[in-house]
């Protein structure tokens, strides 16, 4: 009896091992499939399709994302890449509802673009909760990488700190010491006004007055009359898209420049200049993260973009392209679309695309990069369509970002402060 029981025990051990081996073999294909959730890498372009920033984001952002996917080869880790898109209508509740549906129902791995700082901050909060990646090209608020930073949020193209320091400092140094600031009345405009005011004061200038207007304003007459009566040398426009275009056009109709005041667009895009025309926009300083006509590589990419959209890319379009490309490279390098592992990988692999110079990702999620102070050309100096900017000088990466020493982001180590 004892011998029989010993033999039974002896034969049970190999049998248990055989079962374990079978279970391990069965588990291996499941683990392989789990590398990419849903067998597809899905990226959502949350953008403005018909509103005030549609020309500088919108359908162009979708095309830019698609071009990045094509450049990668249309697949990653052997799985297809899918681009979906939606219009947030510049409403935080609409944008958050779309993002929630994408995360919870449609298994979207990453969201990109998100013009409008209010929408971006709402999406940031949701994405942090859901542990999903968001790549911001369109919004400008520094809060995305400061007090409301996220391990899954990456501020890719620019922020209000970068453009205000580039443009406002150039104008003050050129003699524009007194300002009136006209700002859009939401998070982006508030932050841009605050950042510009700090730069102006630090350089010995003074803001004599300010006013805030609703998003997508058609009549700026009362605001411009206040600016005119302030006696300020410079009228700073802390708005974007069609609001900037309309304000500059109406300033021309009021004769503000002819009366001795000058305009400073704290953020101005290639499409804005195209809409205004060089006659009205000439001489305007602005800060940009990229320009289509910088070199052969940027020209080649931009001409391919033009063939699909009928326009050259804004810096936001270029940012969407670069962000999607980097994200997909990180997925490939990490061997998974798991958000935590991809976010870590994004911070370690080099940022490389035709529009990014000396770019890298800080611990707070901010992409540091060389930016460019440019001046809008005179009509006589433009040699071909979309030849609008002269590059005045490069702005090094460390001059375009909020200092880590002043950061309120929990991701920033105390030793960095």
């Amino acid at each position: 009896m004892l011998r029989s029981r010993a033999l039974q025990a002896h034969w049970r051990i190999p049998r248990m091992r055989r079962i374990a081996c079978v279970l391990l073999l069965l588990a291996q294909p499941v683990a392989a499939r789990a590398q990419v959730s849903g067998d597809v890498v899905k990226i959502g372009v949350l953008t403005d399709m018909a509103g005030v920033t549609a020309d500088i984001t919108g359908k162009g952002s979708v095309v830019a994302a698609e071009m990045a996917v094509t450049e990668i080869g249309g697949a990653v880790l052997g799985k297809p890449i899918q681009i979906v898109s939606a219009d947030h209508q510049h409403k935080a509740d609409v944008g958050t509802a779309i993002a929630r549906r994408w995360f919870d129902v449609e298994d979207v791995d990453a969201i990109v673009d998100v013009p409008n700082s209010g929408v971006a901050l709402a999406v940031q909060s949701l994405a942090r909760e859901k542990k999903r990646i968001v790549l911001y090209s369109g919004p400008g608020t520094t809060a995305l990488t400061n007090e409301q930073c996220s391990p899954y949020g990456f501020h890719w193209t620019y922020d209000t700190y970068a453009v205000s320091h580039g443009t406002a400092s150039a104008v003050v140094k050129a003699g524009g010491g007194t300002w009136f600031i006209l700002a859009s009345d939401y998070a982006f405009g508030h932050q841009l006004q605050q950042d510009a005011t700090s730069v102006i004061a630090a350089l010995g200038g003074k803001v004599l007055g300010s006013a805030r207007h609703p998003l997508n304003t058609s009549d700026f007459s009362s605001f411009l009359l206040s600016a005119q009566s302030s006696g300020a040398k410079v009228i700073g426009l802390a708005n974007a898209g069609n609001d900037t275009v309309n304000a500059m056009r109406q300033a021309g109709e009021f004769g503000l420049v002819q009366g001795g005041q000058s305009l400073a667009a704290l953020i101005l895009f290639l499409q804005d200049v195209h809409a205004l025309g060089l006659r009205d926009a000439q001489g305007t300083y602005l800060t940009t993260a990229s320009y289509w006509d910088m070199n052969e590589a940027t020209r080649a990419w931009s001409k391919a973009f033009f063939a699909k959209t009928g326009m050259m890319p804004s810096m936001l379009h270029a940012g969407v392209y670069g962000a999607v490309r980097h994200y997909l490279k990180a997925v490939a390098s990490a061997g998974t679309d798991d958000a935590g592992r991809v976010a870590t990988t994004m911070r370690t692999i080099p940022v490389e695309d035709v529009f990014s110079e000396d770019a890298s990702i800080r611990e707070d999620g901010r992409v540091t990069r060389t930016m460019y102070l440019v001046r809008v050309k005179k009509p006589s100096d433009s040699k071909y369509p979309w030849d609008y900017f002269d590059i005045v000088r490069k702005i090094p990466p460390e001059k375009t970002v909020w200092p880590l020493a002043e950061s309120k982001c929990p991701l920033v180590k105390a030793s960095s402060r």
Side-chain angles (χ1 to χ4, degrees), residues 221 317 416:
S221 57
H317 296 143
S416 300

Side-chain angles (χ1 to χ4, degrees), residues 266-381:
L266 294 172
I267 184 165
L268 192 68
F269 295 92
L270 186 69
Q271 282 75 6
D272 300 334
V273 175
H274 187 75
L276 282 164
L278 291 180
R279 184 181 64 84
D280 291 334
Q282 62 182 309
T284 302
Y285 284 100
L286 62 116
T287 301
T288 185
S290 64
Y291 179 45
W292 76 271
D293 200 18
M294 292 185 64
N295 53 55
E296 288 302 323
T298 59
R299 281 189 284 273
W301 192 94
S302 299
K303 288 175 181 177
F305 180 88
F306 183 91
K308 297 174 181 292
T309 63
M311 62 180 171
M312 291 302 180
S314 71
M315 73 168 176
L316 305 186
H317 296 143
V320 168
Y321 155 74
V324 170
R325 188 179 189 276
H326 188 76
Y327 169 75
L328 293 173
K329 286 180 62 182
V331 170
S333 181
T336 178
D337 63 353
D338 174 77
R341 290 173 62 183
V342 172
T344 298
T345 304
M346 286 181 67
R347 286 176 167 86
T348 57
I349 64 175
V351 177
E352 296 174 331
D353 64 78
V354 298
F355 292 105
S356 295
E357 183 178 356
D358 297 325
S360 61
I361 302 176
R362 297 198 311 190
E363 53 201 288
D364 59 358
R366 180 69 165 91
V367 175
T368 67
R369 62 174 68 248
T370 295
M371 297 188 74
Y372 310 91
L373 179 67
V374 304
R375 191 174 186 180
V376 179
K377 290 185 174 184
K378 298 176 182 178
S380 58
D381 292 336

Side-chain angles (χ1 to χ4, degrees), residues 87-98 115-116 118-119 122-123 215:
D87 185 352
H88 59 45
Q89 302 173 38
H90 289 279
K91 298 176 181 177
D93 58 340
V94 173
T96 305
I98 293 168
N116 187 299
V119 178
V123 171
L215 188 68

Side-chain angles (χ1 to χ4, degrees), residues 36-37 39-44 80-84 102 105-111 132 327-328 337:
V36 174
S37 58
D39 284 339
V40 61
V41 175
K42 191 178 291 187
I43 300 170
I81 303 163
Q82 182 181 355
I83 299 293
V84 297
W102 277 354
V105 180
E106 300 183 24
D107 200 21
V108 167
D109 296 290
I111 290 177
R132 297 294 178 93
Y327 169 75
L328 293 173
D337 63 353

